[in-house]
Structure formats: structure tokens, C-alpha cells
Amino acid sequence: MKNTTKISIALGLVALVTGIMLWFYSQKPQAFVPEEVDATEELSDRNMVRIQVDSLTNIIQQVYGNEATISMPDGEAYVVKVQNQGNEISNFYNDNPRLLEVKDERFSIKRTGNSLEANFMIERIQEKQYAFVPTDVVYKLAELAYNK
């Protein structure tokens, strides 16, 4: 009787260990699959900043100097055109390619080779003009202006 109890306990332990090992080895790590983002959606309000047009102009002039042309053709849009060499042009949008694809009424950024054109909607608040700019753009331009 003692031998059958020992045998059944040993077989139970072997079955338990085998079950745990099979479960452990069957749990293969899953490859990281990035979530697909619909490029037609607008940015949320937390990803947008209203910045005074004069401040934005000053920051852009500090970063790009004569390579940037700024205009407000109709008073409702703030247009920035940058002609630059090298990788610095992608610094304008903080190397975030989603900003080039997103469809938002408040802004658009288009890059063609070494030139960039950005349009930002302007809003008037108490006689001051504010441009709607993505936080990535404001953050990177402020960082570049500070480090110059």
C-alpha cells in the first residue's frame, strides 16, 4: 500500500511538472503590433496650443532666420514657409510624421524635399491674434530657439 501511494504521488508530481512546463513553453511572446491610427482624425485639444502670433513669429525667426518666410495673407491664416538644407526641416514638426498626415481644420503641414509649408488658423481674442499650433511644433521650436 505504501508503494502505491508513493508511486501515485510521484506520478502526480510528474504530471504537475509536465503540465506547468507545457503551459510555460506554450506562452510564446507576442510581437509588438503598433496600433493603426486613422490619419483623417483631428488632434485633440490637449495636443494643440494657442500661441500669440507675435511670439510664434519671434521663435521661428530665432530658429530659422532668413530661411523662414512668414505671412498672413487673409488675416485668418498664419503661413510659414521654410526652405532649408538637411534634417533641420523635420525639427519644425518634431520629427512626428503624423502631423504631416493628419486632417485638421486648425492647421496643415506639408513637406516637399527641403521645403516646408505650414498653415495655422488664427483666432482673435481681445484684440490679440493667436495661432492654433500642435504642441510638438511649439515644443521643438521653443527648444531650438532656447538652445541657439
Side-chain angles (χ1 to χ4, degrees):
M1 192 83 179
K2 291 183 181 181
N3 285 340
T4 47
T5 306
K6 289 181 183 179
I7 291 173
S8 60
I9 291 175
L11 288 175
L13 287 174
V14 168
L16 180 65
V17 169
T18 304
I20 291 172
M21 289 179 64
L22 285 174
W23 177 80
F24 181 74
Y25 287 116
S26 68
Q27 299 296 320
K28 295 181 182 174
Q30 300 294 323
F32 177 73
V33 179
E35 180 181 346
E36 290 188 25
V37 178
D38 185 15
T40 60
E41 65 187 40
E42 292 183 348
L43 290 181
S44 67
D45 287 339
R46 69 182 183 155
N47 293 327
M48 295 293 291
V49 174
R50 271 190 215 137
I51 185 170
Q52 198 169 2
V53 169
D54 296 339
S55 299
L56 183 60
T57 301
N58 187 17
I59 291 170
I60 291 171
Q61 289 298 323
Q62 285 182 20
V63 174
Y64 291 104
N66 295 333
E67 296 172 342
T69 306
I70 299 168
S71 63
M72 292 187 288
D74 59 2
E76 304 232 349
Y78 182 87
V79 181
V80 179
K81 294 180 182 179
V82 179
Q83 182 69 32
N84 198 334
Q85 300 295 323
N87 196 23
E88 285 185 34
I89 200 136
S90 66
N91 285 337
F92 185 88
Y93 52 91
N94 200 18
D95 296 317
N96 184 352
R98 183 169 180 245
L99 291 179
L100 300 175
E101 300 166 355
V102 72
K103 307 279 190 255
D104 197 317
E105 295 175 356
R106 300 170 288 185
F107 78 96
S108 70
I109 301 173
K110 295 179 180 102
R111 179 179 179 178
T112 309
N114 289 332
S115 63
L116 176 121
E117 182 175 332
N119 295 305
F120 304 107
M121 187 176 86
I122 293 178
E123 179 182 62
R124 286 190 175 274
I125 301 174
Q126 298 176 357
E127 301 299 321
K128 293 183 181 177
Q129 293 179 325
Y130 293 88
F132 287 95
V133 184
T135 54
D136 277 352
V137 173
V138 173
Y139 169 76
K140 192 61 175 186
L141 289 176
E143 178 186 1
L144 292 171
Y146 179 77
N147 289 327
K148 276 207 169 190

Short mmCIF file of all heavy atoms in Angstrom, two decimals, residues 51-88:
data_model
loop_
_atom_site.label_atom_id
_atom_site.label_comp_id
_atom_site.label_asym_id
_atom_site.label_seq_id
_atom_site.Cartn_x
_atom_site.Cartn_y
_atom_site.Cartn_z
N ILE A 51 -1.03 80.04 -29.37
CA ILE A 51 0.14 80.87 -29.06
C ILE A 51 -0.02 82.20 -29.79
O ILE A 51 -0.50 82.24 -30.93
CB ILE A 51 1.45 80.15 -29.46
CG1 ILE A 51 2.67 80.96 -29.05
CG2 ILE A 51 1.48 79.82 -30.93
CD1 ILE A 51 4.00 80.22 -29.19
N GLN A 52 0.39 83.25 -29.12
CA GLN A 52 0.27 84.57 -29.70
C GLN A 52 1.13 84.64 -30.96
O GLN A 52 2.27 84.15 -30.99
CB GLN A 52 0.69 85.62 -28.69
CG GLN A 52 0.20 86.99 -29.03
CD GLN A 52 0.39 87.96 -27.88
OE1 GLN A 52 0.92 87.62 -26.83
NE2 GLN A 52 -0.02 89.19 -28.11
N VAL A 53 0.57 85.23 -32.01
CA VAL A 53 1.23 85.27 -33.32
C VAL A 53 2.60 85.95 -33.22
O VAL A 53 3.57 85.47 -33.82
CB VAL A 53 0.31 85.98 -34.34
CG1 VAL A 53 1.06 86.29 -35.62
CG2 VAL A 53 -0.90 85.13 -34.63
N ASP A 54 2.71 87.02 -32.46
CA ASP A 54 4.00 87.71 -32.32
C ASP A 54 5.06 86.80 -31.69
O ASP A 54 6.21 86.79 -32.12
CB ASP A 54 3.85 88.97 -31.48
CG ASP A 54 2.96 90.01 -32.13
OD1 ASP A 54 2.77 89.94 -33.36
OD2 ASP A 54 2.44 90.88 -31.40
N SER A 55 4.65 86.03 -30.69
CA SER A 55 5.59 85.11 -30.03
C SER A 55 6.03 84.01 -30.98
O SER A 55 7.21 83.67 -31.03
CB SER A 55 4.95 84.50 -28.79
OG SER A 55 4.60 85.49 -27.87
N LEU A 56 5.08 83.46 -31.72
CA LEU A 56 5.41 82.40 -32.68
C LEU A 56 6.35 82.92 -33.76
O LEU A 56 7.33 82.26 -34.12
CB LEU A 56 4.13 81.83 -33.30
CG LEU A 56 4.30 80.68 -34.27
CD1 LEU A 56 4.97 79.48 -33.59
CD2 LEU A 56 2.95 80.26 -34.83
N THR A 57 6.09 84.12 -34.24
CA THR A 57 6.95 84.72 -35.26
C THR A 57 8.37 84.91 -34.72
O THR A 57 9.35 84.59 -35.40
CB THR A 57 6.38 86.08 -35.71
OG1 THR A 57 5.08 85.88 -36.22
CG2 THR A 57 7.26 86.72 -36.78
N ASN A 58 8.48 85.39 -33.50
CA ASN A 58 9.78 85.60 -32.88
C ASN A 58 10.54 84.28 -32.75
O ASN A 58 11.74 84.20 -33.06
CB ASN A 58 9.61 86.27 -31.52
CG ASN A 58 10.92 86.66 -30.90
OD1 ASN A 58 11.94 86.74 -31.57
ND2 ASN A 58 10.90 86.91 -29.61
N ILE A 59 9.87 83.24 -32.30
CA ILE A 59 10.52 81.93 -32.13
C ILE A 59 11.00 81.38 -33.47
O ILE A 59 12.12 80.90 -33.60
CB ILE A 59 9.57 80.93 -31.43
CG1 ILE A 59 9.34 81.36 -29.98
CG2 ILE A 59 10.12 79.52 -31.49
CD1 ILE A 59 8.24 80.58 -29.29
N ILE A 60 10.14 81.47 -34.48
CA ILE A 60 10.50 80.94 -35.81
C ILE A 60 11.69 81.71 -36.39
O ILE A 60 12.61 81.13 -36.97
CB ILE A 60 9.30 80.97 -36.76
CG1 ILE A 60 8.25 79.94 -36.30
CG2 ILE A 60 9.71 80.69 -38.20
CD1 ILE A 60 6.94 80.02 -37.02
N GLN A 61 11.70 83.05 -36.22
CA GLN A 61 12.82 83.85 -36.71
C GLN A 61 14.11 83.51 -35.99
O GLN A 61 15.18 83.50 -36.60
CB GLN A 61 12.50 85.35 -36.58
CG GLN A 61 11.45 85.83 -37.54
CD GLN A 61 11.86 85.66 -38.99
OE1 GLN A 61 13.01 85.84 -39.36
NE2 GLN A 61 10.90 85.30 -39.82
N GLN A 62 14.04 83.22 -34.69
CA GLN A 62 15.25 82.83 -33.95
C GLN A 62 15.79 81.51 -34.44
O GLN A 62 17.00 81.32 -34.51
CB GLN A 62 14.94 82.74 -32.45
CG GLN A 62 14.81 84.06 -31.77
CD GLN A 62 14.55 83.89 -30.28
OE1 GLN A 62 14.82 82.85 -29.71
NE2 GLN A 62 14.04 84.94 -29.66
N VAL A 63 14.91 80.57 -34.77
CA VAL A 63 15.35 79.23 -35.17
C VAL A 63 15.82 79.21 -36.61
O VAL A 63 16.90 78.70 -36.91
CB VAL A 63 14.22 78.20 -34.96
CG1 VAL A 63 14.62 76.84 -35.52
CG2 VAL A 63 13.86 78.08 -33.49
N TYR A 64 15.03 79.76 -37.53
CA TYR A 64 15.33 79.62 -38.96
C TYR A 64 15.89 80.88 -39.61
O TYR A 64 16.42 80.80 -40.72
CB TYR A 64 14.08 79.15 -39.71
CG TYR A 64 13.70 77.74 -39.36
CD1 TYR A 64 12.64 77.47 -38.51
CD2 TYR A 64 14.44 76.67 -39.86
CE1 TYR A 64 12.31 76.16 -38.17
CE2 TYR A 64 14.12 75.37 -39.52
CZ TYR A 64 13.05 75.12 -38.69
OH TYR A 64 12.73 73.83 -38.36
N GLY A 65 15.77 82.02 -38.98
CA GLY A 65 16.32 83.25 -39.55
C GLY A 65 15.73 83.56 -40.91
O GLY A 65 14.52 83.57 -41.10
N ASN A 66 16.61 83.79 -41.89
CA ASN A 66 16.18 84.17 -43.24
C ASN A 66 15.62 83.00 -44.04
O ASN A 66 15.08 83.20 -45.13
CB ASN A 66 17.35 84.79 -44.01
CG ASN A 66 17.78 86.10 -43.39
OD1 ASN A 66 16.99 86.78 -42.75
ND2 ASN A 66 19.05 86.44 -43.57
N GLU A 67 15.75 81.79 -43.53
CA GLU A 67 15.24 80.62 -44.25
C GLU A 67 13.72 80.49 -44.11
O GLU A 67 13.11 79.70 -44.81
CB GLU A 67 15.92 79.35 -43.74
CG GLU A 67 17.41 79.33 -44.01
CD GLU A 67 18.10 78.17 -43.33
OE1 GLU A 67 17.53 77.57 -42.40
OE2 GLU A 67 19.22 77.86 -43.75
N ALA A 68 13.11 81.26 -43.21
CA ALA A 68 11.67 81.19 -42.99
C ALA A 68 10.99 82.46 -43.50
O ALA A 68 11.46 83.57 -43.28
CB ALA A 68 11.36 81.02 -41.51
N THR A 69 9.88 82.27 -44.19
CA THR A 69 9.04 83.37 -44.66
C THR A 69 7.70 83.24 -43.98
O THR A 69 7.06 82.19 -44.06
CB THR A 69 8.85 83.30 -46.19
OG1 THR A 69 10.14 83.25 -46.81
CG2 THR A 69 8.07 84.49 -46.69
N ILE A 70 7.27 84.30 -43.32
CA ILE A 70 6.01 84.26 -42.57
C ILE A 70 5.07 85.29 -43.17
O ILE A 70 5.46 86.43 -43.45
CB ILE A 70 6.26 84.58 -41.08
CG1 ILE A 70 7.20 83.53 -40.50
CG2 ILE A 70 4.96 84.64 -40.32
CD1 ILE A 70 7.77 83.86 -39.16
N SER A 71 3.81 84.88 -43.36
CA SER A 71 2.82 85.81 -43.89
C SER A 71 1.44 85.48 -43.32
O SER A 71 1.20 84.37 -42.84
CB SER A 71 2.78 85.73 -45.43
OG SER A 71 2.38 84.44 -45.84
N MET A 72 0.57 86.47 -43.38
CA MET A 72 -0.84 86.30 -43.00
C MET A 72 -1.66 86.88 -44.14
O MET A 72 -2.13 88.02 -44.07
CB MET A 72 -1.13 86.99 -41.68
CG MET A 72 -0.44 86.33 -40.51
SD MET A 72 -0.91 86.98 -38.92
CE MET A 72 -0.12 88.57 -38.94
N PRO A 73 -1.85 86.09 -45.22
CA PRO A 73 -2.46 86.63 -46.43
C PRO A 73 -3.89 87.14 -46.25
O PRO A 73 -4.23 88.18 -46.81
CB PRO A 73 -2.41 85.47 -47.42
CG PRO A 73 -2.18 84.25 -46.61
CD PRO A 73 -1.53 84.68 -45.34
N ASP A 74 -4.71 86.47 -45.50
CA ASP A 74 -6.10 86.89 -45.37
C ASP A 74 -6.50 87.25 -43.94
O ASP A 74 -7.65 87.52 -43.67
CB ASP A 74 -7.03 85.79 -45.90
CG ASP A 74 -6.86 84.47 -45.17
OD1 ASP A 74 -6.04 84.40 -44.23
OD2 ASP A 74 -7.54 83.50 -45.55
N GLY A 75 -5.54 87.27 -43.02
CA GLY A 75 -5.83 87.59 -41.64
C GLY A 75 -6.47 86.45 -40.86
O GLY A 75 -6.68 86.54 -39.67
N GLU A 76 -6.77 85.35 -41.54
CA GLU A 76 -7.37 84.19 -40.88
C GLU A 76 -6.41 83.01 -40.85
O GLU A 76 -6.68 82.01 -40.23
CB GLU A 76 -8.65 83.78 -41.60
CG GLU A 76 -9.63 84.91 -41.69
CD GLU A 76 -10.98 84.51 -41.18
OE1 GLU A 76 -11.21 83.33 -40.97
OE2 GLU A 76 -11.80 85.42 -41.01
N ALA A 77 -5.30 83.15 -41.55
CA ALA A 77 -4.31 82.06 -41.61
C ALA A 77 -2.92 82.63 -41.40
O ALA A 77 -2.60 83.74 -41.84
CB ALA A 77 -4.39 81.35 -42.95
N TYR A 78 -2.11 81.86 -40.72
CA TYR A 78 -0.71 82.20 -40.47
C TYR A 78 0.10 81.20 -41.27
O TYR A 78 0.04 80.00 -41.02
CB TYR A 78 -0.44 82.06 -38.96
CG TYR A 78 0.95 82.42 -38.52
CD1 TYR A 78 1.27 83.73 -38.20
CD2 TYR A 78 1.92 81.44 -38.38
CE1 TYR A 78 2.55 84.06 -37.76
CE2 TYR A 78 3.19 81.76 -37.93
CZ TYR A 78 3.49 83.07 -37.63
OH TYR A 78 4.75 83.39 -37.20
N VAL A 79 0.83 81.67 -42.27
CA VAL A 79 1.54 80.79 -43.19
C VAL A 79 3.04 80.91 -42.98
O VAL A 79 3.59 82.02 -42.99
CB VAL A 79 1.19 81.13 -44.66
CG1 VAL A 79 1.91 80.21 -45.63
CG2 VAL A 79 -0.32 81.07 -44.88
N VAL A 80 3.68 79.76 -42.80
CA VAL A 80 5.13 79.71 -42.62
C VAL A 80 5.70 78.86 -43.75
O VAL A 80 5.26 77.74 -43.96
CB VAL A 80 5.51 79.08 -41.26
CG1 VAL A 80 7.02 79.01 -41.12
CG2 VAL A 80 4.88 79.81 -40.12
N LYS A 81 6.67 79.40 -44.45
CA LYS A 81 7.38 78.65 -45.48
C LYS A 81 8.85 78.62 -45.09
O LYS A 81 9.45 79.66 -44.84
CB LYS A 81 7.21 79.30 -46.85
CG LYS A 81 5.79 79.25 -47.35
CD LYS A 81 5.64 79.89 -48.70
CE LYS A 81 4.18 79.86 -49.12
NZ LYS A 81 3.97 80.49 -50.41
N VAL A 82 9.39 77.40 -45.04
CA VAL A 82 10.79 77.23 -44.65
C VAL A 82 11.51 76.51 -45.77
O VAL A 82 11.07 75.45 -46.22
CB VAL A 82 10.92 76.43 -43.33
CG1 VAL A 82 12.38 76.25 -42.96
CG2 VAL A 82 10.15 77.09 -42.21
N GLN A 83 12.61 77.10 -46.22
CA GLN A 83 13.48 76.47 -47.20
C GLN A 83 14.78 76.20 -46.49
O GLN A 83 15.44 77.12 -46.03
CB GLN A 83 13.72 77.41 -48.39
CG GLN A 83 14.57 76.83 -49.48
CD GLN A 83 13.88 75.70 -50.24
OE1 GLN A 83 12.69 75.70 -50.39
NE2 GLN A 83 14.65 74.74 -50.69
N ASN A 84 15.15 74.93 -46.35
CA ASN A 84 16.29 74.58 -45.52
C ASN A 84 17.02 73.39 -46.12
O ASN A 84 16.45 72.61 -46.86
CB ASN A 84 15.81 74.25 -44.11
CG ASN A 84 16.91 74.30 -43.10
OD1 ASN A 84 18.07 74.11 -43.41
ND2 ASN A 84 16.55 74.56 -41.87
N GLN A 85 18.27 73.24 -45.74
CA GLN A 85 19.07 72.09 -46.16
C GLN A 85 19.18 71.12 -45.00
O GLN A 85 19.28 71.52 -43.86
CB GLN A 85 20.48 72.54 -46.58
CG GLN A 85 20.50 73.52 -47.73
CD GLN A 85 19.97 72.89 -49.01
OE1 GLN A 85 20.21 71.74 -49.28
NE2 GLN A 85 19.22 73.68 -49.77
N GLY A 86 19.18 69.86 -45.31
CA GLY A 86 19.45 68.85 -44.29
C GLY A 86 18.23 68.45 -43.47
O GLY A 86 17.10 68.68 -43.84
N ASN A 87 18.51 67.86 -42.34
CA ASN A 87 17.48 67.27 -41.50
C ASN A 87 16.78 68.29 -40.62
O ASN A 87 15.79 67.99 -39.99
CB ASN A 87 18.11 66.17 -40.63
CG ASN A 87 17.08 65.27 -40.02
OD1 ASN A 87 15.97 65.16 -40.52
ND2 ASN A 87 17.43 64.63 -38.93
N GLU A 88 17.27 69.53 -40.55
CA GLU A 88 16.70 70.53 -39.66
C GLU A 88 15.25 70.83 -39.98
O GLU A 88 14.51 71.25 -39.11
CB GLU A 88 17.50 71.82 -39.72
CG GLU A 88 18.83 71.74 -38.99
CD GLU A 88 19.52 73.09 -38.98
OE1 GLU A 88 18.82 74.11 -38.91
OE2 GLU A 88 20.73 73.10 -39.05
#
